[in-house]
Amino acid sequence: MSKRFQRAQVGSGALRALIDALAEELGRSVVLDDPLVRLICSSRHFGDEDPVRVRSLLQGLADDEVIRYVLGQGVAQWAGPGFIEGRDDLGLLPRYCVPLRERGRLLGLLMVVAADKTLSAEETDAIGRAARAVAAQMYAEYVATEAEESGTHELLRGLLGTDPVGRAVALEQGIDRGLWVDAAHSVVTVVRVSRPHGSPAEVETALRAAVEGYRSTRWAAGAISVDRDRAVLLQLCDRLPASGEITAQSRRVVESLGTFLDAAAVPTVGVGGRQEGLVGAWSSYEQALVAMRAARRLPNLRGVGDWDELGEYAVLLQLPDQALNASLVPKPLRVLTENNGTARLEETLRCFLENAGSVPRTAEALHVHRTSLYYRLRQIQEITGLDLDNGADRLVLHMGLRIRELLTAGAPAAD
């Protein structure tokens, strides 16, 4: 995974002062991380630094393995402070960790290196006082940031909405505020995380960390909006990204979420079509929702759907879940698939249609003689009553097979 997507915002001067003061009082190295174990600020060394601390200071972030290990200790759910065990293979010394919460929200992790896992009562008291001051400062900064981002969230919602007047107003206001520029092209990506348990705030924090690095890249600039279990990324560019560039970006988002969240969290990404300018962003957003639905229904997409690559699925997946059922499968295809011993014929039909009705290519793909292929095709025509030389009949069967694939994958939870 690219490390730049694990970098937290640099701590404010007030936070750095509090961390430095605590470190000087203790004579120990102190670190302030965000809830995802990304470095916010750190004190100077006191001779107790370990390889993890050195790498974090040099790179501005921890390694993936370290992040997974620390989060795996359940620190985000700790009710109070405790020790994180060291790991020699990771170059990690034990740390005294204090979860920093204010009004129920986990704001960060205050860590003090304690190689022998012993702290005096005076030291724990000092850490407790500092932790309360740091949490109060972090909450004040969080509230200020939240107020600013709520305005961006509302404007982005308006820009991507279905009301033309609302879109026009949001477009102008966003440009006036410097939130976005009207570039030649726009593309919207939607990321959603399904998680059966755990804090929604954890998912929201992980989503923000996974997508924030793409707000500004070497080829695009834009805006993000994160709300509980879903993130929306608007990217604007003067040149269309190279083929596969956005897919690779989406894969990195999924990988980042895999680092920050447990295995029960299931991320899904939908990428909209590449549209012209800001005025087309709403269309890309609607397409991203369809692409995300495809990613949830089709296992072969591995959690990432791209509108520009959906083909006929882009049409079928605009049907509501209640309409996308077995009744849509054409009767001739149902007759074929419900007969015993027709699995081979179904495979033959699918291959024949995928190869545009070409007998030579189909025979080669199936590794059968053309005579055998002609025999199978005659059987298919006899069972279905359709003519495979007729384009309309072939379309009925092809769309029917696509619908069966969607139904076989099963209906996910409602979008």
Side-chain angles (χ1 to χ4, degrees), residues 186-204:
S186 62
V187 59
V188 174
T189 300
V190 179
V191 186
R192 184 177 180 184
V193 173
S194 298
R195 195 186 194 197
H197 58 78
S199 166
E202 290 180 44
V203 173
E204 184 177 337

PDB file of all heavy atoms in Angstrom, residues 186-204:
ATOM      1  N   SER A 186     -14.763  15.389 -14.987  1.00  0.00           N
ATOM      2  CA  SER A 186     -15.064  15.064 -13.590  1.00  0.00           C
ATOM      3  C   SER A 186     -15.371  13.581 -13.482  1.00  0.00           C
ATOM      4  O   SER A 186     -15.894  12.960 -14.411  1.00  0.00           O
ATOM      5  CB  SER A 186     -16.256  15.882 -13.082  1.00  0.00           C
ATOM      6  OG  SER A 186     -17.428  15.582 -13.816  1.00  0.00           O
ATOM      7  N   VAL A 187     -15.037  13.023 -12.317  1.00  0.00           N
ATOM      8  CA  VAL A 187     -15.373  11.628 -12.024  1.00  0.00           C
ATOM      9  C   VAL A 187     -15.637  11.525 -10.523  1.00  0.00           C
ATOM     10  O   VAL A 187     -14.947  12.144  -9.712  1.00  0.00           O
ATOM     11  CB  VAL A 187     -14.243  10.657 -12.452  1.00  0.00           C
ATOM     12  CG1 VAL A 187     -12.936  10.983 -11.753  1.00  0.00           C
ATOM     13  CG2 VAL A 187     -14.638   9.208 -12.175  1.00  0.00           C
ATOM     14  N   VAL A 188     -16.674  10.772 -10.177  1.00  0.00           N
ATOM     15  CA  VAL A 188     -17.061  10.610  -8.779  1.00  0.00           C
ATOM     16  C   VAL A 188     -16.885   9.146  -8.374  1.00  0.00           C
ATOM     17  O   VAL A 188     -17.289   8.237  -9.109  1.00  0.00           O
ATOM     18  CB  VAL A 188     -18.522  11.041  -8.544  1.00  0.00           C
ATOM     19  CG1 VAL A 188     -18.956  10.738  -7.107  1.00  0.00           C
ATOM     20  CG2 VAL A 188     -18.682  12.525  -8.845  1.00  0.00           C
ATOM     21  N   THR A 189     -16.285   8.949  -7.211  1.00  0.00           N
ATOM     22  CA  THR A 189     -16.124   7.611  -6.637  1.00  0.00           C
ATOM     23  C   THR A 189     -16.864   7.573  -5.303  1.00  0.00           C
ATOM     24  O   THR A 189     -16.753   8.491  -4.497  1.00  0.00           O
ATOM     25  CB  THR A 189     -14.637   7.285  -6.409  1.00  0.00           C
ATOM     26  OG1 THR A 189     -13.946   7.328  -7.667  1.00  0.00           O
ATOM     27  CG2 THR A 189     -14.468   5.908  -5.781  1.00  0.00           C
ATOM     28  N   VAL A 190     -17.628   6.512  -5.095  1.00  0.00           N
ATOM     29  CA  VAL A 190     -18.350   6.313  -3.836  1.00  0.00           C
ATOM     30  C   VAL A 190     -17.798   5.065  -3.156  1.00  0.00           C
ATOM     31  O   VAL A 190     -17.644   4.024  -3.791  1.00  0.00           O
ATOM     32  CB  VAL A 190     -19.866   6.162  -4.078  1.00  0.00           C
ATOM     33  CG1 VAL A 190     -20.595   5.932  -2.744  1.00  0.00           C
ATOM     34  CG2 VAL A 190     -20.423   7.389  -4.778  1.00  0.00           C
ATOM     35  N   VAL A 191     -17.475   5.194  -1.882  1.00  0.00           N
ATOM     36  CA  VAL A 191     -16.944   4.080  -1.099  1.00  0.00           C
ATOM     37  C   VAL A 191     -17.884   3.830   0.067  1.00  0.00           C
ATOM     38  O   VAL A 191     -18.253   4.765   0.777  1.00  0.00           O
ATOM     39  CB  VAL A 191     -15.531   4.376  -0.560  1.00  0.00           C
ATOM     40  CG1 VAL A 191     -14.947   3.141   0.120  1.00  0.00           C
ATOM     41  CG2 VAL A 191     -14.618   4.882  -1.669  1.00  0.00           C
ATOM     42  N   ARG A 192     -18.262   2.590   0.259  1.00  0.00           N
ATOM     43  CA  ARG A 192     -19.147   2.247   1.377  1.00  0.00           C
ATOM     44  C   ARG A 192     -18.566   1.066   2.135  1.00  0.00           C
ATOM     45  O   ARG A 192     -18.006   0.148   1.534  1.00  0.00           O
ATOM     46  CB  ARG A 192     -20.536   1.904   0.867  1.00  0.00           C
ATOM     47  CG  ARG A 192     -21.536   1.641   1.990  1.00  0.00           C
ATOM     48  CD  ARG A 192     -22.912   1.366   1.457  1.00  0.00           C
ATOM     49  NE  ARG A 192     -23.852   1.120   2.530  1.00  0.00           N
ATOM     50  CZ  ARG A 192     -25.114   0.772   2.352  1.00  0.00           C
ATOM     51  NH1 ARG A 192     -25.598   0.661   1.137  1.00  0.00           N
ATOM     52  NH2 ARG A 192     -25.908   0.545   3.380  1.00  0.00           N
ATOM     53  N   VAL A 193     -18.718   1.075   3.452  1.00  0.00           N
ATOM     54  CA  VAL A 193     -18.242  -0.015   4.300  1.00  0.00           C
ATOM     55  C   VAL A 193     -19.422  -0.615   5.043  1.00  0.00           C
ATOM     56  O   VAL A 193     -20.145   0.090   5.755  1.00  0.00           O
ATOM     57  CB  VAL A 193     -17.180   0.464   5.307  1.00  0.00           C
ATOM     58  CG1 VAL A 193     -16.835  -0.658   6.290  1.00  0.00           C
ATOM     59  CG2 VAL A 193     -15.928   0.927   4.578  1.00  0.00           C
ATOM     60  N   SER A 194     -19.632  -1.921   4.851  1.00  0.00           N
ATOM     61  CA  SER A 194     -20.636  -2.649   5.620  1.00  0.00           C
ATOM     62  C   SER A 194     -19.909  -3.353   6.762  1.00  0.00           C
ATOM     63  O   SER A 194     -18.937  -4.074   6.533  1.00  0.00           O
ATOM     64  CB  SER A 194     -21.344  -3.685   4.740  1.00  0.00           C
ATOM     65  OG  SER A 194     -22.019  -3.061   3.680  1.00  0.00           O
ATOM     66  N   ARG A 195     -20.383  -3.123   7.977  1.00  0.00           N
ATOM     67  CA  ARG A 195     -19.742  -3.718   9.154  1.00  0.00           C
ATOM     68  C   ARG A 195     -20.820  -4.095  10.155  1.00  0.00           C
ATOM     69  O   ARG A 195     -21.566  -3.230  10.615  1.00  0.00           O
ATOM     70  CB  ARG A 195     -18.768  -2.716   9.778  1.00  0.00           C
ATOM     71  CG  ARG A 195     -17.782  -3.328  10.776  1.00  0.00           C
ATOM     72  CD  ARG A 195     -16.983  -2.236  11.430  1.00  0.00           C
ATOM     73  NE  ARG A 195     -15.817  -2.721  12.130  1.00  0.00           N
ATOM     74  CZ  ARG A 195     -15.163  -2.003  13.041  1.00  0.00           C
ATOM     75  NH1 ARG A 195     -15.581  -0.783  13.335  1.00  0.00           N
ATOM     76  NH2 ARG A 195     -14.100  -2.498  13.647  1.00  0.00           N
ATOM     77  N   PRO A 196     -20.931  -5.393  10.498  1.00  0.00           N
ATOM     78  CA  PRO A 196     -22.028  -5.832  11.364  1.00  0.00           C
ATOM     79  C   PRO A 196     -21.916  -5.373  12.806  1.00  0.00           C
ATOM     80  O   PRO A 196     -22.900  -5.392  13.536  1.00  0.00           O
ATOM     81  CB  PRO A 196     -21.953  -7.365  11.264  1.00  0.00           C
ATOM     82  CG  PRO A 196     -20.526  -7.649  10.912  1.00  0.00           C
ATOM     83  CD  PRO A 196     -20.098  -6.509  10.041  1.00  0.00           C
ATOM     84  N   HIS A 197     -20.724  -4.977  13.237  1.00  0.00           N
ATOM     85  CA  HIS A 197     -20.554  -4.555  14.628  1.00  0.00           C
ATOM     86  C   HIS A 197     -19.478  -3.473  14.685  1.00  0.00           C
ATOM     87  O   HIS A 197     -18.823  -3.170  13.696  1.00  0.00           O
ATOM     88  CB  HIS A 197     -20.141  -5.742  15.507  1.00  0.00           C
ATOM     89  CG  HIS A 197     -18.874  -6.407  15.058  1.00  0.00           C
ATOM     90  ND1 HIS A 197     -17.620  -5.898  15.314  1.00  0.00           N
ATOM     91  CD2 HIS A 197     -18.672  -7.533  14.331  1.00  0.00           C
ATOM     92  CE1 HIS A 197     -16.698  -6.685  14.784  1.00  0.00           C
ATOM     93  NE2 HIS A 197     -17.309  -7.682  14.183  1.00  0.00           N
ATOM     94  N   GLY A 198     -19.305  -2.900  15.852  1.00  0.00           N
ATOM     95  CA  GLY A 198     -18.278  -1.878  16.025  1.00  0.00           C
ATOM     96  C   GLY A 198     -18.857  -0.482  15.949  1.00  0.00           C
ATOM     97  O   GLY A 198     -20.027  -0.266  15.620  1.00  0.00           O
ATOM     98  N   SER A 199     -18.014   0.482  16.245  1.00  0.00           N
ATOM     99  CA  SER A 199     -18.439   1.876  16.294  1.00  0.00           C
ATOM    100  C   SER A 199     -18.519   2.491  14.902  1.00  0.00           C
ATOM    101  O   SER A 199     -17.578   2.360  14.122  1.00  0.00           O
ATOM    102  CB  SER A 199     -17.451   2.673  17.149  1.00  0.00           C
ATOM    103  OG  SER A 199     -17.627   4.052  16.965  1.00  0.00           O
ATOM    104  N   PRO A 200     -19.635   3.179  14.570  1.00  0.00           N
ATOM    105  CA  PRO A 200     -19.710   3.884  13.291  1.00  0.00           C
ATOM    106  C   PRO A 200     -18.613   4.929  13.144  1.00  0.00           C
ATOM    107  O   PRO A 200     -18.155   5.207  12.037  1.00  0.00           O
ATOM    108  CB  PRO A 200     -21.100   4.530  13.317  1.00  0.00           C
ATOM    109  CG  PRO A 200     -21.885   3.702  14.279  1.00  0.00           C
ATOM    110  CD  PRO A 200     -20.910   3.249  15.314  1.00  0.00           C
ATOM    111  N   ALA A 201     -18.187   5.513  14.279  1.00  0.00           N
ATOM    112  CA  ALA A 201     -17.132   6.526  14.224  1.00  0.00           C
ATOM    113  C   ALA A 201     -15.819   5.929  13.730  1.00  0.00           C
ATOM    114  O   ALA A 201     -15.037   6.601  13.047  1.00  0.00           O
ATOM    115  CB  ALA A 201     -16.937   7.155  15.603  1.00  0.00           C
ATOM    116  N   GLU A 202     -15.549   4.655  14.056  1.00  0.00           N
ATOM    117  CA  GLU A 202     -14.334   4.000  13.567  1.00  0.00           C
ATOM    118  C   GLU A 202     -14.365   3.888  12.048  1.00  0.00           C
ATOM    119  O   GLU A 202     -13.356   4.132  11.376  1.00  0.00           O
ATOM    120  CB  GLU A 202     -14.202   2.613  14.188  1.00  0.00           C
ATOM    121  CG  GLU A 202     -13.877   2.587  15.665  1.00  0.00           C
ATOM    122  CD  GLU A 202     -13.760   1.168  16.174  1.00  0.00           C
ATOM    123  OE1 GLU A 202     -13.134   0.348  15.494  1.00  0.00           O
ATOM    124  OE2 GLU A 202     -14.309   0.878  17.250  1.00  0.00           O
ATOM    125  N   VAL A 203     -15.517   3.484  11.521  1.00  0.00           N
ATOM    126  CA  VAL A 203     -15.658   3.356  10.068  1.00  0.00           C
ATOM    127  C   VAL A 203     -15.499   4.713   9.397  1.00  0.00           C
ATOM    128  O   VAL A 203     -14.806   4.849   8.382  1.00  0.00           O
ATOM    129  CB  VAL A 203     -17.020   2.727   9.714  1.00  0.00           C
ATOM    130  CG1 VAL A 203     -17.249   2.749   8.203  1.00  0.00           C
ATOM    131  CG2 VAL A 203     -17.104   1.298  10.241  1.00  0.00           C
ATOM    132  N   GLU A 204     -16.139   5.726   9.968  1.00  0.00           N
ATOM    133  CA  GLU A 204     -16.048   7.071   9.395  1.00  0.00           C
ATOM    134  C   GLU A 204     -14.603   7.568   9.377  1.00  0.00           C
ATOM    135  O   GLU A 204     -14.140   8.138   8.371  1.00  0.00           O
ATOM    136  CB  GLU A 204     -16.920   8.024  10.203  1.00  0.00           C
ATOM    137  CG  GLU A 204     -16.976   9.437   9.647  1.00  0.00           C
ATOM    138  CD  GLU A 204     -17.909  10.336  10.427  1.00  0.00           C
ATOM    139  OE1 GLU A 204     -18.820   9.821  11.098  1.00  0.00           O
ATOM    140  OE2 GLU A 204     -17.729  11.565  10.360  1.00  0.00           O
TER     141      GLU A 204
END
